[in-house]
Amino acid sequence: MTTLSAVQRAVIGQPQARIDGPMKVSGGAIYTSDVDLRELLHAVPVCSTIASGRIASLEFAAAEAMPGVHVVLHRGNVGRFYRISGNSMDTGYVDEARPPFEDDVIRYYGQYVAVVVADTFEAASAAAAAVKVTYDVTAHDVGEALAGDGEPKVESERGDAARAFDAAAMSIDETYVTPVETHNPIELHATVAHWDGDACTFYETSQAVSNHQGTLMQMLGLPREKVRVISRYLGSGFGGKLWMWPHSLLAAAAARYTGRPVKLVVSRKMMFQNVGHRPVTQQRMRLSADADGTLTSVRHDFVNHTAMADEYQESCGEITPVLYSVPNLRVSSALARRHVGSPTAMRGPGAVPGLFALESAMNELARKLDMDPVELRLKNEPRVDESTGLPFSSRHLTECLRTGAEKFGWSQRQPGVGAMKRDGLTLGWGVGACCWPGVRFSAQATVELRADGTARVVCGTQDIGTGTYTILAQLVAGETGVPLDRIEVALGDTALPLGPISGGSAVTASVIPAVLDAVRAAVAIVTARAAALSESPFSGAKAGSLAFGAGRVHRKSEPPQSGVPFSDILKMARMHAASGSGSAKGGFDDPLKKSYSVYSYGAHFAEITWQPEIAQLRVSRVVTVIDAGKILNPRAGRNQIEGAVVMGVGMALFEHTMYDPQNGAPINSNLADYIIASHADTPALDVTFLDHPDTVFNEIGARGIAEIGLAGVAAAITDAVYHATGVRVRKLPVMIEDLLGERSEARRDG
Ligand code: MOS
């Protein structure tokens, strides 16, 4: 049970406009590439035009002689970079571990081989194009068909999946493939590096300033206090901006070399080459069941591609052991090296491609059993997390399925292929469940109650566009009654108390305990000071019924409503401004995970329309129900889930980074040829949040929502495609050719 006070209830769980909205829409918000400093220079990288080989020669004299050019940096003059030790989220994590220009070896198309520094972006671009590089080319492999290198690794196992599969009445054995997808936030990656003596300030497009600082200090060989990273506003990131990429170091080196601040903005083309992507995944699913639909085994064997020098794993099987009750299960993983840049986390890493496979397999099994796919899921609902035996902190997947079915009108479903029509169009209906782990990281926050009646809350986390600024203000408002528009929030700076990465949908659950601690500490100080003053012989004020003691000051995580009316706290704060600090612990070794299985859940119901005469397929509506605990700001929260569902439409129907087999280049590396779902592709959206606060996780009961909305959408859509057309697409995205029965495997496997 959550026990929100009346003042909390007035702001928490209420739809709030983003407090940073006016700054953004009026152009007042300074994004990284907007940063302008005196004497600013511009850097433009030179990218390799082969995917595998060595640099044979680099001719840059002509480029360096061009107007406005200060220097061409290359392996010979860039200066020293170091590899980070440990590569851990505690000290500094990076997906591409090789510092730029470390050797002459080319391992992917687009790898940086030099960087031009000039007075203007135009001069630097022109000179970058004039740098001549020759290569000793060796054979590359960017193929999409994957066989794992070496033995698969067992990720999770219980019972005997192989035996149960062989003995089963009903089974399916299918392979699902998801392509390379590229993060395409509107804001390009950018760095502005500025040295002041031996200290460097970085304005960065970073979802994790503190990790960025940890990485940069190691790779530049500087103490922590000499590196400051600032990321105040982000035009989103989708995971691509979680970890540092080599251009940050190039900007630092260029600024170090020239003694002037340097801006480096990654181009849209480089976004497809140099800053990560979701890798190709190939997932073999073997499911078996009794005739009544009781699952008897699940096997999930997946492989993803990775770069030649880095081992990124797309954890496709992470959710599989948890989602359904099944006595026999085996999940295994493998990697296949390709000549591509390092993959990285992309919205819902692991779960998003993984649930395309698992949920598609469940839908196929339901068809084979002649069973409603919602019923099949309800039938296999577990009582505990069968991978660990632990209880769920809070799980309402069956309510998501039932509520979604009700809102969608699922009872009207006629399951036959092509059986449903509306306005001359064939309808297809499909369902997919979704799930994402509840994660929280360590966080610190400071809250100041100021004499002018305003408050300030600071935390070194970031707002990637999802509404973090606003929820911090809501948390402070709920404890003090200070209105949202009188609360200043500062984020995105390593000079602030340590904040969590904006990743893993973890910020909200991470900051709740830290901010509540901080604001309560500030309130306690204010009230204690007021009480002390009222007891002083020199004070004319009456203590009245206010009974505070200094002992309250350091008590942590008290329930709200200390007995003091908020109006009194505000009055007291006018005389006794105070600042309080709070902190909370978390991480992947969170001790709570030894006692509870913490996940969010949801269900998507999708409708497509199909017009075979002109081969037109549209996603017409999606009903989504999410169980993510308490939603602090349902307005921003709904936006996140809506955006995720639209991204799911893109995943199902459009997104596919293609590599040119000739030279290994990501060839559709622009927003005209890489198709993402746009407004015109957006179906009617209906998002519902169940309100079951997860108070095991934190006192407000929020788990976090960003990534879950994308998981399961593609499986719901492809099942709807099957329902309408009779074509089962197991390789994303769905192509018109698939639906016309002219699928060319040669083309798809490129
Ligand atoms: Mo998310 S892929 O953890 O930014």
Side-chain angles (χ1 to χ4, degrees), residues 150-156 300-302 313 330-334:
E151 278 298 294
K153 177 169 162 266
V154 177
E155 302 281 342
S156 184
H300 187 171
D301 300 301
F302 64 93
Q313 185 185 93
R330 191 168 197 267
V331 177
S332 82
S333 67

Side-chain angles (χ1 to χ4, degrees), residues 35 47 89 117 134 167 236 378 382 493 515 531 590 639 678:
V35 169
C47 296
M89 276 185 60
V117 190
T134 62
S236 195
L378 294 175
D493 189 339
V515 173
D590 192 334
N639 289 165
S678 66

